[in-house]
Every structure is written in structure tokens, then in C-alpha cells.
Amino acid sequence: MRKILVTSALPYANGSIHIGHLVEYIQTDIWVRFQKLRGHECYYVCADDAHGTPIMLRAQKEGITPEELIARYQTEHQTDFADFSIGFDNYYSTHSAENQHFSNLIYQGLKAGGHIERQTIRQFYDPEKEMFLPDRFIRGECPKCHALDQYGDSCEHCHTTYNPTDLINPVSAVSGVTPIEKESEHLFVNLSHFEAMLQEWIGSGALQPAVQHKLNEWFESGLQAWNISRDAPYFGFEMPDEPNKYFYVWLDAPIGYIASFKNLCDREHIDFESFLAKDSEAELYHFIGKDIQYFHCLFWPAMLTAGGFRNPTAVFVHGFLKVDGEKMSKSRGTFINARTYLNHLQPEYLRYYFAAKLGHGVDDVDLNLDDFLHRVNADLVGKFVNIASRCAKFITNRFDGQLASELVEPALYQEFIDAGNAIAEAYETRDYNKGVRHIMALADRANQYIEERKPWTIAKQAGQEAELQGVCSQGLNLFRILMGYLAPILPLLTSKVEDFLAAPITWQPEPLLAHTIKPFKPLMVRVEKKQIDAMIEASKESLATPTQPAASIDPIRELIDYDTFSKIDLRIARILKAEQVEGADKLLRLSLDVGEDKPRNVFAGIKDAYAPEQLTGRLTVMVANLAPRQMRFGISEGMVLAAGPGKQDIFILTPDDGAQPGMRVK
């Protein structure tokens, strides 16, 4: 029997779970359920990631304490996970005594080993909010590929990591003002001290080839020292002997895996050391998304080593979720929260569809909604459940629920049992799509058997009772094997089938013979397109800004006086660059020269009317003194003037050729 500890990445306690998150938790849960079904000692732990500036700021905005905020989201997250049958053995929080203990322990290990160094650095400071800005609260232009509106620590386009001060035209995402640089002393982990250990671990087969290749790029460019401290104000753990310094959230977040498991061990009397000690022979696996592989494949093993713990057996990295081939979008209604999905569709539809799409690589997963409907209906209802419904009524009506005392086709039963080895290999290697194909091929074989033997015809013939009972009992026993193979994916359906068959579902079971089953009830209903449409509609976020009628002259406009109008600063602007905004239906991102030291970043809803290449180099008119606005895609620092009825008929205002950027329009 293997001893296995499994984790998924910790969801941030600052927002709801959505179907993009569920790719990982469903992938992990299927793997864990498979291991438990095979009889191994396997524990699955997770927690809410409950620290950091975003949580502090969100709580301030809502007028509550950070503790109240994280408690609210933890309750919501646990409810959503439970309703998707995510079977955590323990779900905890990083804001816990155990996590503080292990964070201090690992920090002291880093310090005692000589891996901590002090550096006085210049970092961005928001003069309006009077706080140092976390990397993710600074937006600007990537210093390498020049993509606009990137985070302060890494570029989503070219995946380069950098210091926030390297950003071009930085803006505070908290207040919208331009941050200033200010000195502060911080504590860094010298990651290069661990290079030999990391190279050995990475070469041990712990990572997928694509992930190993990416890590090798980082080694080639040199491992950078890692800042593990943050200045007050900050919601987190204060560092020992470092007043007003706090552990960076990415230090204590993965330690939450250890803390959650320790909490479980103390409660259930499990030997903690046997799983996490340096000489442990147990297995440790982390399931994560590809956006956090740097933290889990470089920082995390270094932290574990410094703390005296073992390294992971493997880190399994997956891709992102797309819907109908595109990034999830609130305007299109494809950014779907877990609860919105559950309000319209059964959770096991999504579990099955993800399993049918997931392989062992890091490729993105596409939820094609038409394919989702047809695959669930064809595979689960049309093939799998159909086997039971075709056989059970004859057993109930003609034999009082009693199955035959022997199999009429033992070789066919053994064929289904023998197929379990390939299916088990697919589960073990996370090639769920391959496993599902094997299972559905067997379902086709079972339906073919029933079609060939035609129990409905046998039932009309006198003196064929034994044959009828034998054929239907054979079909139900094949169905039971398939339910065992699908059990990691469909735990709710498994429970229904166990009740119907009055027998447990196991991996590769002995046949049920001379056994009494219960009357068959529908096990799963078909997906209806109207359910999917309703879910999409419920997920749409309106882009319109509601207005109030303010005058009888024109009920759709508010009147302003001439003094107010005179404050509007209209400037000539040259469009230096225009580009698509990923995930936006109507917006283009414009970089505008308005005669200032640096360009302005403006979002304009003119995508239907103009291709980016049509705009580069053109002059236009913009409102230059509009307050910066935080949008979902970044900060917009003005407004381009355009007119027209809409869609393709939108015309940006173009001044005379003699105009120059920065000139005022009167």
C-alpha cells in the first residue's frame, strides 16, 4: 500500500471559485479518488490563501476586518467545493497558528543556513495611499516585449519576470496615480545557494518535460534572489525580530500545505513525520496551474530543504481553461462562477467533460459548450446509463430483482476486467481523456452485446426465462464494472448505483450472482441547451453604465453649465500604437502621444470599426483631463472622441493634418 499526500493550489480568499479554478480541483480529486479506490493511504489537503495586500484593501473597502472577509470566503469556497464533490480530507486557512509556526520554522532555517541577505531597495510607493505597492498593484509596459498593462512582477505575454521598477510608465492600481520610488530595507533568499539541489531534483523526473524546459531557461538567465518581506501596512504574519516587516504572501501560502496536513494529522492521529520528514518514503504531489510553476518548482523546494522537510515527488502542472476556444469573458457570459454553474447544471456533467478533455500535459483545456452538451448526453445518458435501464426492468418485473446465479458470458466479463489495467495506467498518469475513451469503448461493447441478444425479444418468447435473466444479469454486471472505472470521475452517480444494485462499487469486482437489486430509477437526465443558455445569460456582466434622467429637455442626458464644460481639456493626440485587448469584445488599447513626457494608455470601444493597423500613426482628439479609471483590463488615462450610430459605423474625430500632439482643441 502506498502512502500519498496530495495538494492543489490554494484559492485566494478574495473572490469566488469559478469554473477555471475547477479544472485543477476536479483533476486532483479524480486522481485522489482513484488512489483511494485502489486501496492506497492517500490524503488530499488544501486551504484558503488568506494573506496579502489585496485582502487588506478589500476588507477596508467593505468596512470589515480582514478576518471577517477571509472567514466569509472560506465558507463560500468550502460549500462550492463540496457541491462539486471535491473530497478534501482537510480544508484549512493560511491564517492559522500551524501556518505561522511552520513559516517561522522555515524562515529560521533559511536564516541559520546563511541563505538570507539584506538589501536596501528602491520600490514603488503610492503617495496618495501612503503605502508601498505590491507587485500586482502596479501596472505598466513590459520592459522586454513592451506589452501594455502588465503586472509589476511578470509579463503575461512573454512570461518575463522583472522588478516593478523596470516597468515602463507604471501606474498604481490602488489610486491610479503615478507611484514614486522610495527606499526600504528588505530580506532576500539567495536562491542561487540551492541551484545544485534544484538541478538534481528537477532532473529526477519530478516535472513534465515542458515545465523542465521552462525552468532550464530560468537557470540559464541566473536564479535571482527572492524578496520574502513586505512593509506595513500588510495583512499577514509579522517576521520574527523584524518589526513592521511581514512575510510575503508567497512565502507562507505554500507552507499552508504543511499546516493543513498538520491540522489533519493532529485531529486524526496520523503520523506527520512519515509523510514530510527528510527521509520519508511516502509520496508528495502538488497539482498547480502553469502560471505559478516558478514558485512551486524553484522557491518551494528551496524552502522545504531549509526547513528540514522532504522535496515533492512530483509537481503536476496544467493549462488554463478556455470556453469555446477563447479566454473566459464576463461580457460574453463565459466567466462562470461555480455557484452559477450549479444553479443550472449538475456538477457531474462538468466533472465528466473535464476528465474527457484532460491529459498529462500543460496544454489549455477548452470547454466547448456544444460539445459539452452532446458528449454528456451521448456518453453518460445514451451509452452508460442506458446499459442499466435496458436490463434492470426485466430483472425487476420478471425475477423480483433477483440476478442469475451464473454468468452466461464469463469471457466477456473477463474482457472488461482485463481492460482495467490500461484504464488504471491512464488514471495514474493523469491521461484521463485516454481512460475515458477506453471506458466508453467498453460501454459500446456492452450495448452491442445487449443489442445482439435482444432481451426485449427474448421476453416475448415462452420458456426463455433463464436466458432472459442471464442476459440481463450479464449486462448489469458489465455496467457495474464500468461504474467502478468511472467512480473517480462520478462519485455522486456511484452512490446512486450502489443503492440501486444494493452492493458496493469497487475496482474490478467479482460478479454479482444470485443477488437482489432494487427497482431501477433514472440515474441521470439529459442536458438541455436552454440550461446552458440560461447559465450564460446569468453570467453576463453588463458593460452599460446606468444613468438617471436629470432634465425634462432630454431624459437621457444630464445638463451641465458652461463653467463645467470649460474645464474639459481636449487635446490633439497621435496614436503611437493600437492593439487588441485579450478577452474584450469591443475594446482596443491605444498608446497616445499628447505632447507629454510619456504616452497615455487609453481603452476605446472601437474594435468593430477599426483594425489596430488602421489607427497607428493617425491623429485624433482626446479628453486629456479625465481622471484615470481602473478597468478590468488596466488603467485608462483619458477618452478618445468618436461619433456614429455604433458597431462598424464609429468614426474617431480626426483633426487637420497641420495639428500637432498636445495642441488644445477649442
mmCIF file of all heavy atoms in Angstrom, residues 126-144:
data_model
loop_
_atom_site.group_PDB
_atom_site.id
_atom_site.type_symbol
_atom_site.label_atom_id
_atom_site.label_comp_id
_atom_site.label_asym_id
_atom_site.label_seq_id
_atom_site.Cartn_x
_atom_site.Cartn_y
_atom_site.Cartn_z
ATOM 1 N N ASP A 126 2.896 54.454 -3.174
ATOM 2 C CA ASP A 126 1.738 55.252 -3.573
ATOM 3 C C ASP A 126 1.644 56.450 -2.627
ATOM 4 O O ASP A 126 1.307 56.285 -1.447
ATOM 5 C CB ASP A 126 0.467 54.401 -3.488
ATOM 6 C CG ASP A 126 -0.753 55.111 -4.069
ATOM 7 O OD1 ASP A 126 -0.901 56.331 -3.836
ATOM 8 O OD2 ASP A 126 -1.556 54.454 -4.743
ATOM 9 N N PRO A 127 1.940 57.663 -3.114
ATOM 10 C CA PRO A 127 1.936 58.825 -2.213
ATOM 11 C C PRO A 127 0.542 59.193 -1.745
ATOM 12 O O PRO A 127 0.389 59.842 -0.709
ATOM 13 C CB PRO A 127 2.550 59.932 -3.083
ATOM 14 C CG PRO A 127 2.270 59.522 -4.487
ATOM 15 C CD PRO A 127 2.302 58.029 -4.497
ATOM 16 N N GLU A 128 -0.480 58.795 -2.487
ATOM 17 C CA GLU A 128 -1.846 59.117 -2.077
ATOM 18 C C GLU A 128 -2.323 58.173 -0.978
ATOM 19 O O GLU A 128 -2.930 58.596 0.008
ATOM 20 C CB GLU A 128 -2.790 59.038 -3.279
ATOM 21 C CG GLU A 128 -4.219 59.426 -2.957
ATOM 22 C CD GLU A 128 -5.098 59.479 -4.194
ATOM 23 O OE1 GLU A 128 -4.706 60.170 -5.169
ATOM 24 O OE2 GLU A 128 -6.158 58.834 -4.192
ATOM 25 N N LYS A 129 -2.038 56.861 -1.128
ATOM 26 C CA LYS A 129 -2.469 55.871 -0.137
ATOM 27 C C LYS A 129 -1.436 55.658 0.967
ATOM 28 O O LYS A 129 -1.707 54.939 1.937
ATOM 29 C CB LYS A 129 -2.767 54.535 -0.832
ATOM 30 C CG LYS A 129 -3.960 54.575 -1.764
ATOM 31 C CD LYS A 129 -5.247 54.824 -1.001
ATOM 32 C CE LYS A 129 -6.459 54.770 -1.918
ATOM 33 N NZ LYS A 129 -7.721 54.975 -1.172
ATOM 34 N N GLU A 130 -0.255 56.262 0.803
ATOM 35 C CA GLU A 130 0.825 56.173 1.779
ATOM 36 C C GLU A 130 1.174 54.722 2.101
ATOM 37 O O GLU A 130 1.165 54.279 3.253
ATOM 38 C CB GLU A 130 0.465 56.934 3.065
ATOM 39 C CG GLU A 130 0.264 58.434 2.848
ATOM 40 C CD GLU A 130 -0.006 59.176 4.135
ATOM 41 O OE1 GLU A 130 -0.471 58.528 5.104
ATOM 42 O OE2 GLU A 130 0.256 60.388 4.186
ATOM 43 N N MET A 131 1.480 53.970 1.048
ATOM 44 C CA MET A 131 1.843 52.568 1.229
ATOM 45 C C MET A 131 2.730 52.120 0.072
ATOM 46 O O MET A 131 2.635 52.617 -1.049
ATOM 47 C CB MET A 131 0.592 51.684 1.278
ATOM 48 C CG MET A 131 -0.265 51.741 0.022
ATOM 49 S SD MET A 131 -1.726 50.675 0.085
ATOM 50 C CE MET A 131 -0.951 49.070 0.002
ATOM 51 N N PHE A 132 3.641 51.190 0.403
ATOM 52 C CA PHE A 132 4.400 50.541 -0.650
ATOM 53 C C PHE A 132 3.450 49.642 -1.436
ATOM 54 O O PHE A 132 2.554 49.021 -0.862
ATOM 55 C CB PHE A 132 5.554 49.719 -0.063
ATOM 56 C CG PHE A 132 6.705 50.561 0.402
ATOM 57 C CD1 PHE A 132 6.880 50.852 1.755
ATOM 58 C CD2 PHE A 132 7.624 51.064 -0.508
ATOM 59 C CE1 PHE A 132 7.945 51.622 2.186
ATOM 60 C CE2 PHE A 132 8.702 51.843 -0.083
ATOM 61 C CZ PHE A 132 8.860 52.130 1.260
ATOM 62 N N LEU A 133 3.681 49.569 -2.723
ATOM 63 C CA LEU A 133 2.762 48.842 -3.588
ATOM 64 C C LEU A 133 3.254 47.418 -3.853
ATOM 65 O O LEU A 133 4.400 47.231 -4.278
ATOM 66 C CB LEU A 133 2.592 49.568 -4.923
ATOM 67 C CG LEU A 133 1.834 50.894 -4.859
ATOM 68 C CD1 LEU A 133 1.997 51.654 -6.161
ATOM 69 C CD2 LEU A 133 0.360 50.653 -4.553
ATOM 70 N N PRO A 134 2.412 46.417 -3.639
ATOM 71 C CA PRO A 134 2.767 45.056 -4.055
ATOM 72 C C PRO A 134 2.940 45.004 -5.573
ATOM 73 O O PRO A 134 2.380 45.830 -6.310
ATOM 74 C CB PRO A 134 1.558 44.218 -3.618
ATOM 75 C CG PRO A 134 0.821 45.061 -2.649
ATOM 76 C CD PRO A 134 1.084 46.478 -3.020
ATOM 77 N N ASP A 135 3.689 44.025 -6.021
ATOM 78 C CA ASP A 135 3.960 43.907 -7.447
ATOM 79 C C ASP A 135 2.682 43.900 -8.280
ATOM 80 O O ASP A 135 2.621 44.494 -9.358
ATOM 81 C CB ASP A 135 4.748 42.622 -7.724
ATOM 82 C CG ASP A 135 6.094 42.618 -7.024
ATOM 83 O OD1 ASP A 135 6.515 43.697 -6.551
ATOM 84 O OD2 ASP A 135 6.720 41.551 -6.930
ATOM 85 N N ARG A 136 1.676 43.221 -7.774
ATOM 86 C CA ARG A 136 0.447 43.055 -8.566
ATOM 87 C C ARG A 136 -0.453 44.286 -8.512
ATOM 88 O O ARG A 136 -1.513 44.295 -9.130
ATOM 89 C CB ARG A 136 -0.316 41.828 -8.063
ATOM 90 C CG ARG A 136 0.398 40.529 -8.390
ATOM 91 C CD ARG A 136 -0.208 39.863 -9.596
ATOM 92 N NE ARG A 136 0.758 39.080 -10.358
ATOM 93 C CZ ARG A 136 0.428 38.270 -11.348
ATOM 94 N NH1 ARG A 136 -0.827 38.139 -11.705
ATOM 95 N NH2 ARG A 136 1.351 37.612 -12.015
ATOM 96 N N PHE A 137 -0.041 45.290 -7.767
ATOM 97 C CA PHE A 137 -0.809 46.525 -7.722
ATOM 98 C C PHE A 137 -0.098 47.648 -8.469
ATOM 99 O O PHE A 137 -0.377 48.816 -8.270
ATOM 100 C CB PHE A 137 -1.106 46.920 -6.274
ATOM 101 C CG PHE A 137 -2.290 46.189 -5.717
ATOM 102 C CD1 PHE A 137 -2.181 44.862 -5.321
ATOM 103 C CD2 PHE A 137 -3.522 46.798 -5.628
ATOM 104 C CE1 PHE A 137 -3.272 44.169 -4.828
ATOM 105 C CE2 PHE A 137 -4.623 46.124 -5.137
ATOM 106 C CZ PHE A 137 -4.503 44.806 -4.730
ATOM 107 N N ILE A 138 0.813 47.239 -9.335
ATOM 108 C CA ILE A 138 1.474 48.180 -10.237
ATOM 109 C C ILE A 138 1.267 47.655 -11.653
ATOM 110 O O ILE A 138 1.462 46.469 -11.914
ATOM 111 C CB ILE A 138 2.985 48.286 -9.943
ATOM 112 C CG1 ILE A 138 3.224 48.576 -8.461
ATOM 113 C CG2 ILE A 138 3.637 49.347 -10.816
ATOM 114 C CD1 ILE A 138 4.626 48.264 -8.004
ATOM 115 N N ARG A 139 0.836 48.518 -12.535
ATOM 116 C CA ARG A 139 0.623 48.122 -13.925
ATOM 117 C C ARG A 139 1.467 49.018 -14.815
ATOM 118 O O ARG A 139 1.718 50.176 -14.494
ATOM 119 C CB ARG A 139 -0.847 48.253 -14.313
ATOM 120 C CG ARG A 139 -1.829 47.589 -13.383
ATOM 121 C CD ARG A 139 -1.831 46.096 -13.507
ATOM 122 N NE ARG A 139 -2.438 45.653 -14.751
ATOM 123 C CZ ARG A 139 -2.821 44.395 -14.986
ATOM 124 N NH1 ARG A 139 -2.635 43.487 -14.053
ATOM 125 N NH2 ARG A 139 -3.357 44.050 -16.128
ATOM 126 N N GLY A 140 1.906 48.469 -15.932
ATOM 127 C CA GLY A 140 2.705 49.265 -16.851
ATOM 128 C C GLY A 140 3.116 48.459 -18.059
ATOM 129 O O GLY A 140 2.604 47.357 -18.308
ATOM 130 N N GLU A 141 4.055 48.987 -18.803
ATOM 131 C CA GLU A 141 4.512 48.370 -20.044
ATOM 132 C C GLU A 141 5.690 47.438 -19.761
ATOM 133 O O GLU A 141 6.639 47.802 -19.063
ATOM 134 C CB GLU A 141 4.922 49.466 -21.034
ATOM 135 C CG GLU A 141 5.356 48.957 -22.391
ATOM 136 C CD GLU A 141 5.720 50.096 -23.335
ATOM 137 O OE1 GLU A 141 5.131 51.198 -23.189
ATOM 138 O OE2 GLU A 141 6.592 49.891 -24.200
ATOM 139 N N CYS A 142 5.623 46.212 -20.297
ATOM 140 C CA CYS A 142 6.678 45.230 -20.095
ATOM 141 C C CYS A 142 7.998 45.765 -20.640
ATOM 142 O O CYS A 142 8.056 46.227 -21.788
ATOM 143 C CB CYS A 142 6.323 43.915 -20.788
ATOM 144 S SG CYS A 142 7.667 42.700 -20.804
ATOM 145 N N PRO A 143 9.075 45.690 -19.864
ATOM 146 C CA PRO A 143 10.354 46.219 -20.335
ATOM 147 C C PRO A 143 11.003 45.375 -21.433
ATOM 148 O O PRO A 143 11.930 45.834 -22.095
ATOM 149 C CB PRO A 143 11.222 46.211 -19.069
ATOM 150 C CG PRO A 143 10.620 45.158 -18.205
ATOM 151 C CD PRO A 143 9.148 45.195 -18.484
ATOM 152 N N LYS A 144 10.494 44.144 -21.645
ATOM 153 C CA LYS A 144 11.099 43.274 -22.657
ATOM 154 C C LYS A 144 10.315 43.287 -23.971
ATOM 155 O O LYS A 144 10.852 43.629 -25.016
ATOM 156 C CB LYS A 144 11.209 41.841 -22.139
ATOM 157 C CG LYS A 144 11.887 40.907 -23.136
ATOM 158 C CD LYS A 144 12.076 39.514 -22.558
ATOM 159 C CE LYS A 144 12.766 38.605 -23.586
ATOM 160 N NZ LYS A 144 12.954 37.228 -23.055
#
